[in-house]
Amino acid sequence: MIAHIGKLPIVVEGDFGPVIMTVDRSLRGVLRVQITGEGGHADAALRRWRYNLGLAREAGLRQMLVVLQFSGAMMTEAGFRHVIAGVADLDLADFRVAVVQTRHERLRQDELSTMIAIESGISAGVFSDEATALLWLRHGAR
């Protein structure tokens, strides 16, 4: 559920934010998640990450490809740190996460979040295309 106050929606606990999220398990060994919509909501992002990591684990997968197509506000560094702190406690030592940022103007933002994730012990990379992201997931350095 989303409540609107002024111009910015407030994401209410229990939803994934003003986005459409699709999950695909057809890639061997990889959970592919595509998220389209309005970015910038740290609490909703944390719920999405925890949910999708849970799906991957339930399916016995250790690799996740996340394709982002966001509009709207960009998340702050404090927001990224909140999200990453909220998933770092899930023991992700056996996971690899590749984020594909389809919007060039948001790539630097996701590079920052990836550095924060790596500092937290999460094997993560950010890419501008899926082919490179999949190559890294399957064969890249750990």
Side-chain angles (χ1 to χ4, degrees):
M1 177 176 193
I2 302 171
H4 290 278
I5 297 177
K7 288 184 166 184
L8 295 175
I10 297 172
V11 179
V12 179
E13 184 66 36
D15 74 24
F16 296 133
V19 302
I20 296 171
M21 187 167 66
T22 56
V23 176
D24 178 3
R25 295 183 185 145
S26 65
L27 295 170
R28 192 185 95 234
V30 177
L31 180 71
R32 183 185 183 276
V33 179
Q34 183 164 339
I35 307 169
T36 304
E38 184 179 310
H41 304 281
D43 290 334
L46 176 55
R47 288 190 294 277
R48 287 191 302 266
W49 277 105
R50 292 180 76 86
Y51 176 80
N52 290 317
L53 287 164
L55 285 179
R57 278 219 166 107
E58 287 173 14
L61 303 173
R62 298 180 307 139
Q63 298 175 342
M64 192 160 63
L65 174 67
V66 181
V67 180
L68 302 176
Q69 296 177 321
F70 283 143
S71 61
M74 290 192 207
M75 195 179 307
T76 64
E77 181 178 339
F80 283 130
R81 289 189 183 282
H82 169 72
V83 172
I84 292 163
V87 296
D89 66 342
L90 296 177
D91 186 26
L92 300 176
D94 61 337
F95 265 83
R96 288 175 68 83
V97 178
V99 175
V100 175
Q101 179 50 261
T102 61
R103 300 193 52 155
H104 177 73
E105 68 274 13
R106 292 176 176 267
L107 194 57
R108 287 187 60 150
Q109 176 192 33
D110 286 326
E111 288 170 345
L112 171 62
S113 69
T114 299
M115 287 187 280
I116 296 168
I118 291 168
E119 289 173 354
S120 299
I122 299 169
S123 181
V126 64
F127 306 89
S128 59
D129 66 272
E130 287 189 52
T132 305
L134 282 170
L135 184 65
W136 178 83
L137 273 176
R138 293 186 171 136
H139 306 289
R142 292 199 181 260

